[in-house]
Amino acid sequence: MKRIVLLVFTVFLFCRISRAITTVDLNGAGWKFRTTMEEQWKPVTVPHCWLVDEGHEKYIGHAMYQRDFEMQALPAGKVARLHFDAVYDVAQVWVNGKLAGTHEGGYNAFEFDITRLLRTGSNDIVVDVDNTPTFTSIPALATGHPSTEKYAEGVGKATIVGWLPYGGIVRPVQILISDPVSFRNVKIDAEPDLKTGVASITVKAILHNASGRGVSATVSGEVAGVKAAFRALQVPANGDASVTWKGSLKDAHLWSVRDPFLYDAQLQVADNTFKSHVGVRKIQVEGTRLLLNGREVHLSGANRVSEDMKEGLRESDAIVERDLSDMLADNMRMMRIAHYPQAQAVLDFADRHGMLLIPEAGNWNFSAWQMADPGIRARWKTQMQEMMEQDWNHPSVIAWSVGNEYESYTQEGRDWTRDMRAFTLGLDSTRLITFASRYTSDAAVKTGADEASQYCDFVSINVYGDYARRFDRAHELYPDKPIFVTEFGKMGESALHDPQRVADITEAMTALKQRPYMIGASLWTWNDYRSFIRGTPADGIRRWGVVNTERQRRDSWKAVQELFKTELP
């Protein structure tokens, strides 16, 4: 399967960057918190992650957040949206005693129209948060491999995900007050011609009308110095409408790992302004080669568990900057960054510094019956789409992963990959498709047609040990595809001196560099992290990292810095 992806004039999107004329900040102090096992409230600051709080380090279940706040009367004709950047995992939100809405998925942004729920003067918000993983949540409890056919059979083998079910209002929250018509979404694509230097720009703006009557709206703006002139459109009452503009940019300055150049974009509708940085670049697969702007890519990086020992998943922009700066110093440039959607600060950093990322949305170790379940499929599609709409305009995002270590040798696994490939490309055809397979060396896989990687633009494999043989086996199955290692590494040594880990990483990278069809590797992991999964040491820390939980560098950090050196495309 050969695909050329004419990439993207990329933009940081979603309604979180659609700036309303007025913002009510609900972060910081003023919140109260308690679990449903407790009677007493305690004061907390939001964002908040309860698994790092004393007494709640292992709490899984429901918890409540409450806050009072003052509101002036809304100006005539304005609407108010209550916006959360993320709540882990299921959130039910009440405003002044009335249900505003429910959202599932602990890493994605969401918002509710609360115009009719607000009152002048004192107001009250209550958020019920549940971090309980189930067999049908995203990510789900794994039921064991080979797959179990029934819930009852799976209970005894159930495995929680390898990272923490963090719990809490883990990212910022605010009220946005604006005209009824606002940006629901913006997608800016470009098709750069590497010979002529001209990029064809396509801007698609999706508008939402929160009022009870249809209105006429006009989008205006500028992208990379090119004025965008949109036609006027009618936006139906309580509905959406989209408008598209096409233009061109001469002598486009391409975004690359070596030169991560960003343009500016700004769009306006009513009193809503969309601002972003923009990158122009072309990603493509030709045979066993991955090309960025026509230059061959061989880069490596690491999976980063989004956790700080003091802040948990609520990690501040300063923590993201600290961690990714250290990863960059370790020559980590291309990676399946994690098993779940990332904070926008992570993608912004990657855009500015020329990192290549492969986001993934929560299909972790699904068994065959889970991938066939209609409810799970629908839930995953919703969360995948939410992630894509947050991330699809970042130039650092080169591919979408449709899962990790699911039963890809089964018919259900092959069907999932084929179907979710089609679903994902239906939303964004500008990027490559892959998933992280653990089964290319399995005895059940005799030919490439037996395993779901046949539907990928490049093969991604999780490999622990016996690297040369397993790389060769994957190449035998898929001789015409590039191969990327989404996981490799070694757990164990807690001290800063870790010779076994150094030897393992050296073996893997030596085998990789001897094989031109191997395009790179993503170490598991950059950092040590907490976990509840079986096999975790008694102190709750899984020591896979080249840095520990305090971000002290092990000897393997220095080894990686040398082994990951390569020419930048």
Side-chain angles (χ1 to χ4, degrees):
M1 182 185 300
K2 295 183 179 180
R3 285 185 65 230
I4 294 179
V5 175
L6 298 175
L7 220 86
V8 217
F9 223 151
T10 313
V11 178
F12 174 62
L13 89 102
F14 201 77
C15 43
R16 75 182 66 190
I17 52 146
S18 173
R19 296 302 178 209
I21 195 167
T22 303
T23 300
V24 179
D25 187 355
L26 297 179
N27 299 301
W31 290 87
K32 296 186 295 184
F33 167 84
R34 66 176 176 85
T35 71
T36 52
M37 306 295 290
E38 300 168 315
E39 295 183 359
Q40 296 297 317
W41 294 91
K42 72 171 187 177
V44 296
T45 59
V46 166
H48 176 252
C49 182
W50 71 63
L51 288 186
V52 296
D53 286 357
E54 184 177 355
H56 298 125
E57 296 92 343
K58 295 185 177 181
Y59 179 74
I60 296 179
H62 285 264
M64 308 296 292
Y65 290 86
Q66 189 275 333
R67 175 178 175 138
D68 298 321
F69 64 98
E70 296 291 318
M71 285 289 295
Q72 296 180 354
L74 287 179
K78 300 295 184 181
V79 299
R81 294 168 283 145
L82 178 58
H83 184 93
F84 293 87
D85 273 7
V87 177
Y88 194 98
D89 178 50
V90 180
Q92 295 185 76
V93 181
W94 287 267
V95 177
N96 294 325
K98 296 182 179 179
L99 182 65
T102 300
H103 180 266
E104 182 173 349
Y107 306 98
N108 293 328
F110 62 97
E111 63 184 31
F112 304 122
D113 186 334
I114 60 170
T115 307
R116 292 177 175 82
L117 303 182
L118 288 175
R119 58 196 178 207
T120 303
S122 179
N123 289 262
D124 169 81
I125 292 178
V126 174
V127 185
D128 179 327
V129 183
D130 183 11
N131 71 334
T132 307
T134 70
F135 289 112
T136 59
S137 59
I138 305 293
L141 293 173
T143 59
H145 293 212
S147 66
T148 52
E149 297 299 327
K150 299 176 182 177
Y151 289 95
E153 294 173 353
V155 170
K157 300 179 181 179
T159 301
I160 197 169
V161 294
W163 61 99
L164 291 183
Y166 299 94
I169 303 176
V170 294
R171 291 179 187 153
V173 54
Q174 58 190 337
I175 297 173
L176 306 175
I177 300 171
S178 70
D179 286 341
V181 175
S182 61
F183 291 110
R184 182 182 289 281
N185 209 313
V186 175
K187 191 173 192 293
I188 306 181
D189 299 329
E191 185 177 309
D193 188 317
L194 299 180
K195 293 182 179 179
T196 67
V198 176
S200 299
I201 310 168
T202 302
V203 181
K204 182 178 181 180
I206 301 175
L207 306 181
H208 178 70
N209 177 14
S211 74
R213 60 182 181 83
V215 297
S216 179
T218 301
V219 177
S220 61
E222 187 175 281
V223 179
V226 180
K227 187 175 181 180
F230 294 82
R231 63 175 176 84
L233 75 160
Q234 192 72 13
V235 189
N238 300 307
D240 296 341
S242 65
V243 62
T244 300
W245 169 82
K246 294 180 182 291
S248 62
L249 175 67
K250 295 180 180 179
D251 301 319
H253 190 154
L254 298 183
W255 182 97
S256 68
V257 176
R258 182 191 299 270
D259 179 17
F261 182 84
L262 296 169
Y263 290 98
D264 291 327
Q266 179 170 317
L267 302 179
Q268 184 85 27
V269 64
D271 64 354
N272 266 231
T273 301
F274 173 97
K275 291 184 179 181
S276 178
H277 297 298
V278 175
V280 184
R281 52 96 174 103
K282 178 179 179 179
I283 194 82
Q284 62 193 116
V285 164
E286 288 185 354
T288 60
R289 300 191 305 159
L290 175 68
L291 303 178
L292 174 64
N293 300 331
R295 293 173 60 95
E296 196 162 350
V297 174
H298 290 278
L299 296 170
S300 295
N303 294 265
R304 172 182 176 270
V305 180
S306 303
E307 177 179 284
D308 179 82
M309 292 297 284
K310 294 181 180 179
E311 294 196 8
L313 186 62
R314 74 184 182 194
E315 52 185 6
S316 64
D317 289 354
I319 287 173
V320 171
E321 189 82 12
R322 175 201 69 188
D323 283 2
L324 269 70
S325 294
D326 202 25
M327 294 176 73
L328 196 63
D330 211 22
N331 289 320
M332 295 179 175
R333 297 275 187 174
M334 182 165 72
M335 59 209 86
R336 191 276 308 271
I337 186 68
H339 295 310
Y340 42 82
Q342 295 295 290
Q344 290 302 307
V346 172
L347 285 89
D348 287 342
F349 184 98
D351 290 347
R352 296 194 310 270
H353 295 90
M355 291 177 159
L356 305 181
L357 304 182
I358 306 166
E360 189 174 276
N363 172 351
W364 180 84
N365 287 33
F366 275 176
S367 294
W369 72 263
Q370 290 171 308
M371 289 183 285
D373 183 273
I376 293 176
R377 280 179 154 240
R379 191 171 292 112
W380 183 87
K381 284 182 177 180
T382 296
Q383 294 186 30
M384 181 69 172
Q385 182 169 347
E386 288 178 344
M387 180 187 76
M388 291 173 67
E389 290 177 349
Q390 293 176 176
D391 299 352
W392 62 11
N393 291 316
H394 287 273
S396 54
V397 176
I398 63 166
W400 304 113
S401 171
V402 299
N404 175 77
E405 293 192 357
Y406 54 81
E407 291 186 314
S408 57
Y409 63 91
T410 65
Q411 185 61 51
E412 292 85 349
R414 294 189 291 272
D415 290 348
W416 173 281
T417 311
R418 180 200 63 220
D419 295 348
M420 299 314 172
R421 171 189 174 85
F423 171 79
T424 303
L425 290 176
L427 296 171
D428 176 23
S429 62
T430 68
R431 287 177 172 81
L432 305 170
I433 304 297
T434 193
F435 79 95
S437 174
R438 61 178 281 192
Y439 288 107
T440 54
S441 295
D442 194 272
V445 178
K446 307 298 184 184
T447 70
D450 296 330
E451 203 267 340
S453 296
Q454 62 187 288
Y455 299 111
C456 293
D457 295 309
F458 61 93
V459 177
S460 295
I461 55 176
N462 293 353
V463 179
Y464 292 93
D466 196 10
Y467 294 108
R469 183 186 68 81
R470 294 184 179 185
F471 294 169
D472 288 341
R473 177 55 178 156
H475 182 57
E476 289 173 9
L477 294 173
Y478 303 106
D480 298 324
K481 293 178 183 288
I483 299 173
F484 184 73
V485 184
T486 29
E487 291 181 27
F488 75 104
K490 190 175 185 64
M491 183 176 81
E493 298 152 293
S494 59
L496 299 182
H497 181 56
D498 55 345
Q500 295 178 31
R501 187 180 285 108
V502 170
D504 182 88
I505 296 171
T506 302
E507 178 192 345
M509 293 304 298
T510 299
L512 184 146
K513 291 179 179 180
Q514 292 170 349
R515 292 158 172 80
Y517 56 82
M518 302 295 297
I519 59 175
S522 190
L523 183 68
W524 189 270
T525 56
W526 177 71
N527 56 311
D528 290 357
Y529 57 97
R530 292 173 60 204
S531 177
F532 297 155
I533 198 170
R534 285 194 296 267
T536 298
D539 65 359
I541 305 296
R542 295 182 71 81
R543 294 178 174 84
W544 286 91
V546 296
V547 299
N548 62 19
T549 58
E550 302 303 317
R551 299 321 194 244
Q552 294 174 299
R553 298 174 180 178
R554 295 192 168 102
D555 290 349
S556 52
W557 189 98
K558 294 178 286 187
V560 164
Q561 187 180 51
E562 184 64 32
L563 289 165
F564 283 12
K565 281 183 180 178
T566 187
E567 182 181 359
L568 301 182

